[in-house]
Amino acid sequence: MNFTVAQIAKMIDHSILRPEFTVRDVREGCAIAVKYDVASVCVRPCDVPVAVEEVRGSGVRVGTVIGFPHGTSPTAVKVAETALAVEQGAAEIDMVINVGWLRSGDVAAVEQEIKEIVVAAGDAHVKVILETAYLTDEQKLAACRAAERAGAAFVKTSTGFAPTGATVDDLALMRSAVSPKVQVKASGGIRTLDALLAMTSLGVARFGSSATAEILEDASRRHLTRSGGSASLIA
């Protein structure tokens, strides 16, 4: 499949999630997101108001993370986090499941928590982070199916803070586990255009990355090289 640079940009959630980032770092990250007109900027919950201010008037949505990065907050806390984030202007919610519950076999509890967060999110899209590094294939499949039953918009591989991130095998498995109405997001270790393009062939629709500028500058260079400056496509 072929994509323009603009189409690739709209597949990216620019991540600004490291714990040491200052408010200035957050503002600079939002400026990158606006410059490249990505799908969204994904920020820490405390940074949602700043991000909303920084991207106002652009085509970039604000997303945030819930129960991040371990997923172990009580459900009521995750629900409250979600409601506050939406009230402050977040349009996308990336929640971490309770990995321990899933590994214990309590899929029903995982599903119920996702459902409560989906309700609290309202019109905001909920992306369910599985943290695949800690799961068997059977657990990944169960989590994906629970997320779909609970009304999530996306299933997502990783937080980026676990030992491993997105893999081709996991993405193919996740895509097979859900219907076309649920999208798949890859996150964790996606730092090159080639990696992103390879994952689109598996049906991945969204990518979390902090290497947004590098990826899109590479895409622009390839367009210019192939087209002499005209609106060419990248395979």
Side-chain angles (χ1 to χ4, degrees):
M1 189 172 180
N2 293 323
F3 302 100
T4 65
V5 176
Q7 287 171 330
I8 294 169
K10 285 302 184 186
M11 298 177 191
I12 296 175
D13 294 338
H14 182 58
S15 299
I16 315 173
L17 295 171
R18 293 185 66 85
E20 73 271 22
F21 281 161
T22 65
V23 174
R24 179 177 178 178
D25 292 328
V26 174
R27 293 187 187 278
E28 289 175 351
C30 290
I32 290 171
V34 171
K35 175 182 177 180
Y36 292 100
D37 194 26
V38 298
S40 79
V41 58
C42 190
V43 299
R44 303 167 302 194
C46 63
D47 298 320
V48 169
V50 173
V52 168
E53 174 188 333
E54 292 298 314
V55 306
R56 184 173 285 115
S58 74
V60 177
R61 295 161 67 91
V62 173
T64 192
V65 288
I66 300 299
F68 195 85
H70 300 305
T72 53
S73 302
T75 298
V77 173
K78 289 181 176 178
V79 168
E81 272 193 296
T82 301
L84 177 60
V86 171
E87 179 184 332
Q88 292 178 330
E92 302 200 351
I93 299 294
D94 290 34
M95 63 152 290
V96 187
I97 66 166
N98 189 308
V99 176
W101 289 353
L102 183 64
R103 285 167 55 97
S104 299
D106 198 348
V107 178
V110 172
E111 181 176 339
Q112 179 61 31
E113 180 174 86
I114 297 168
K115 187 180 298 184
E116 291 184 34
I117 290 170
V118 168
V119 170
D123 293 334
H125 291 161
V126 173
K127 308 188 194 97
V128 176
I129 304 173
L130 308 188
E131 202 65 291
T132 50
Y134 302 123
L135 305 176
T136 65
D137 284 354
E138 291 75 16
Q139 289 163 349
K140 294 165 196 171
L141 289 168
C144 285
R145 292 165 182 160
E148 178 160 9
R149 290 192 300 268
F154 288 79
V155 288
K156 175 180 170 182
T157 55
S158 322
T159 62
F161 289 83
T164 59
T167 68
V168 167
D169 287 346
D170 282 343
L171 291 165
L173 185 72
M174 292 165 65
R175 181 64 275 170
S176 74
V178 292
S179 74
K181 71 180 182 180
V182 178
Q183 299 187 71
V184 176
K185 177 177 173 179
S187 185
I190 301 162
R191 305 198 61 80
T192 69
L193 176 61
D194 287 331
L196 183 152
L197 292 172
M199 291 176 180
T200 62
S201 68
L202 302 171
V204 179
R206 195 76 72 86
F207 300 87
S209 182
S210 59
T212 300
E214 294 86 345
I215 290 169
L216 293 174
E217 288 296 331
D218 188 15
S220 295
R221 282 192 296 272
R222 296 192 198 187
H223 269 223
L224 292 171
T225 299
R226 294 181 183 191
S227 65
S230 65
S232 160
L233 294 173
I234 291 178

